[in-house]
Each structure stands twice: as C-alpha cells, then as structure tokens.
Amino acid sequence: RREFALRFLQLAAALALPARSFADVARGAFDVVVQRDVMVAMRDGVQLATDIYLPASKGRALANRVPVILERTPYGKSGQTRRHASEEIVSIYASHGYAVVFQDCRGRGNSHGEYVKYLSDGPDGFDCCAWIVKQPWSNGRIGTQGLSYGAHTTTALACLDAPGLAAMFIDSGGFANAYQGGIRQGGAFELKQVTWAFNAALEAPEIRKDPIKRAALEAVDIKTWFARMPWSRGHSPLSLVPEYEDYVFDQWEHGAFDDYWKQVGIYAEGSYDRFSDVPIMWMSSWYDPYP
C-alpha cells in the first residue's frame, strides 16, 4: 500500500511541473491502448462517458491486473485544457503500468444526465470506483487526482469512502464547507460562481449541439448584466441554459446555513468520520478560496 501510494503521488505531483519539465519525464516500458467513450452506468441508470488508458505490449492490453489512476472532470476529458491532466500525461502514467480512467462528469462532455454543479460528484464518483474495481484490468486499487474542480470531485467520493480508494492527489480544491468559502464566503455569495457557470455553459451539451442557442449565448454581454442587478430565474445571463441557471440560483437563494449546505460535495466537514483513510498529497494555499 505504501509503495503504491508513493509511486502514485510521485507521478501525480508531475501535474504541478511546468510543461517543459514534464516533457523530460521518461516514458515507461509499456505501450498504451485507449478505449474511448466507454459508457459507465450510475446507480440511477445515467451513463457517463469514460476514456480508459491501459498499459500494453505489442498493441494489446496487458493480461494482468494493474493499479488505477482516476480523474473526473467537467471540462471535457478529450479537450485540451490546463484544468486537468493532458492526454500526454495520462499516457505516461499508463506507460509506467497504470490503468488510467478519465471520466466526464454528469451532464458535461459526452456524459448523459442533468448537470448540477458539485452535487452529483460524490455518488457518481463512488459508483465509478465500484465499477473500476470489478474490471478485468483493475487490481482493485485506485489513486485519484484532480486540480480545482477535479479536486472537488475526488474529495466528494472520499466523503463516501468509495471502494478501492488507495491514495489521493488534491490540488486547490475540496470543500470543507462551501458556505464559508468557495461558493459563499462567510455566507456571502461569490459572484465567480456566475461567471464560471456562464463560461462553462458554452460547452454544455445542449449548447454545443444547437448553433442558434450557442450564437445567442455568445452574444450575451455579461458585463452589462452585472450592471443591472437584481436578476431572477428566467431573467439572467444564464436563462438560455436553465439547468445552469437553476443551480446558480439554488446557491444564491440559500442565504442561511441550512440543509442545502450540508450535502456531499460541498460539505466535507459532515463526512470526516467516514472520510477515506488513505495517503493524501494535498496542494493549495491557506488563504485562497479553497482553504
């Protein structure tokens, strides 16, 4: 267990390196094969798009079971972004003998279902881990990693003590109490949640598939909207994407620390008694929005 955790954290720590430094990391001894958009069913039947990178020899996946690195992202697992591991990085992991599972969060990328920011990531992450440990290429041991939102997803599944979890790399994320910091700041709503929702909505499946809606959303002048508050549901810069508007207003309208703020995914404090007891490398700063 300690050896696995050490090797995983050494690899995961490479995410913090500049691209030039990471380019110098030697590839391992294995080839890599990729299974793209494997649809993994969650407990409610919703299917999430998942890419699987497997160590291989002569173009065929290894027959033996290997440890797994999992990352779940809302930014599109196949997209080029600095907000999650690149295909180059996960291929290097796989070349060193790890299976890598890269999954689009519910309602994002190629995954099905309704997107509600943060609140599905605990159960979905748990179900993904339960699926992984049953696969023929998995030895039942999972290391999770993530930056920012990806760190929230891995913390959320640890709040439910997901099966197979053996190590975690958490970079700048994971809500202890989102009412105090991250969604609200000491109870005051953080407007960055609105700007994030507006930008993220441009990549929502229903917007990507509808050029008319996408053009309309791109034409929205969000600076002008900020100058004419208050907003209401159906009358906001997010009205073209109702599920995004709904979750933002849910966050905005719950001004008191009620049961809404005690849900898995935004309130790790409520799960400390069952939080996965595994080695963790945690990277962040004390006084940013993700303390």
Side-chain angles (χ1 to χ4, degrees):
R1 172 173 172 169
R2 182 171 296 177
E3 180 181 357
F4 167 74
L6 177 61
R7 290 191 63 200
F8 165 71
L9 294 175
Q10 287 171 336
L11 283 169
L15 287 174
L17 295 175
R20 182 178 300 174
S21 298
F22 193 82
D24 295 333
V25 175
R27 293 187 64 85
F30 300 107
D31 300 328
V32 179
V33 295
V34 186
Q35 301 173 9
R36 298 197 184 277
D37 284 331
V38 175
M39 302 307 288
V40 178
M42 301 292 100
R43 64 189 67 182
D44 60 357
V46 170
Q47 295 189 323
L48 305 188
T50 308
D51 289 349
I52 304 165
Y53 296 73
L54 297 172
S57 178
K58 297 179 180 179
R60 300 189 64 178
L62 302 182
N64 54 305
R65 296 173 180 265
V66 297
V68 180
I69 296 174
L70 168 64
E71 183 166 358
R72 304 184 67 254
T73 179
Y75 297 116
K77 58 182 172 46
S78 303
Q80 295 300 316
T81 172
R82 298 186 67 178
R83 298 189 183 191
H84 58 59
S86 67
E87 186 163 350
E88 176 190 12
I89 291 174
V90 296
S91 293
I92 289 176
Y93 292 166
S95 76
H96 282 273
Y98 294 89
V100 182
V101 175
F102 211 179
Q103 186 174 75
D104 284 333
C105 292
R106 176 180 295 242
R108 296 288 294 169
N110 292 332
S111 287
H112 301 168
E114 179 182 356
Y115 178 67
V116 180
K117 193 176 185 185
Y118 306 129
L119 298 184
S120 66
D121 291 312
D124 286 352
F126 183 102
D127 292 351
C128 181
C129 288
W131 177 83
I132 287 172
V133 298
K134 296 177 181 177
Q135 300 311 299
W137 36 261
S138 168
N139 73 353
R141 301 179 60 72
I142 304 168
T144 57
Q145 67 178 28
L147 164 67
S148 189
Y149 198 119
H152 299 321
T153 68
T154 192
T155 302
L157 65 87
C159 286
L160 298 178
D161 195 15
L165 192 59
M168 303 170 66
F169 177 84
I170 303 172
D171 184 355
S172 304
F175 292 120
N177 183 332
Y179 183 82
Q180 295 295 341
I183 297 179
R184 302 181 83 97
Q185 190 67 234
F189 182 62
E190 296 190 18
L191 290 174
K192 70 173 186 184
Q193 291 292 343
V194 177
T195 55
W196 189 98
F198 179 77
N199 291 320
L202 289 167
E203 297 302 322
E206 66 270 30
I207 296 297
R208 286 191 287 115
K209 295 173 183 176
D210 188 332
I212 296 176
K213 277 190 175 181
R214 182 173 180 86
L217 190 60
E218 288 176 339
V220 171
D221 185 345
I222 194 168
K223 290 184 179 180
T224 300
W225 274 101
F226 274 111
R228 60 175 194 237
M229 289 182 169
W231 306 339
S232 60
R233 294 178 192 252
H235 184 70
S236 81
L238 294 167
S239 296
L240 286 164
V241 274
E243 63 186 44
Y244 285 69
E245 185 181 61
D246 284 345
Y247 91 69
V248 166
F249 275 87
D250 285 346
Q251 295 174 350
W252 208 338
E253 291 169 352
H254 282 83
F257 184 64
D258 54 18
D259 287 344
Y260 174 86
W261 296 105
K262 298 176 184 178
Q263 299 181 78
V264 170
I266 57 176
Y267 187 56
E269 284 181 9
S271 302
Y272 286 166
D273 59 341
R274 59 176 173 173
F275 198 91
S276 297
D277 184 14
V278 300
I280 297 173
M281 181 171 181
W282 184 85
M283 184 169 75
S284 191
S285 59
W286 288 117
Y287 298 111
D288 68 10
Y290 301 117

